Amino acid sequence: MRKSAEISPWYADGLKFRCIQCGNCCAGAPGYVWVNTREIQAIARQLDMSPEQFERLHTRRIRQRQSLLELDGGDCEFLVYETDGRTHCAIHSARPLQCRTWPFWESNVTNPRAWATSARHCPGINNGELYSLPIIQDALRRNADADLPL
Ligand code: SF4
């Protein structure tokens, strides 16, 4: 018999999120932004570079995976600060799955407390559009299929 949490997770009525481009999720504490071969190709194409060149200049190898490089303070290399205090991503249209699916990561939706903890860091959480359960589950599934350690 399936557990009830699998049938109806705590976020069954959806979750709200709207990015306000504060940049918190791409700045500060060091972390990993995982990129696979297909994503490296897409980003390299956007930057008019070869995948090999992009991989050499903008990624680092962590065990069997590649992660985007960070600046010394932990900011993502592709985070751009605007004069009005907002930020944008220099590779937004080719950004990796990990970035596309924020904040619907397994670690964030494990329970309401984890979601609330994420909301303290990301002011977009619990605001804006309501994302339905199928959309959230699709993001979780795609991350799981990609074997992202989120
Ligand atoms: S922390 Fe949240 S609101 Fe701020 S840029 Fe990241 S996703 Fe957007």
Side-chain angles (χ1 to χ4, degrees), residues 17 19-25 102 121-122 124:
F17 171 65
C19 178
I20 61 165
Q21 295 176 257
C22 69
N24 284 358
C25 58
W102 173 267
H121 180 70
C122 170

Side-chain angles (χ1 to χ4, degrees), residues 103-115:
F104 305 123
W105 295 356
E106 194 63 53
S107 55
N108 291 342
V109 302
T110 300
N111 52 49
R113 181 185 291 240
W115 185 249

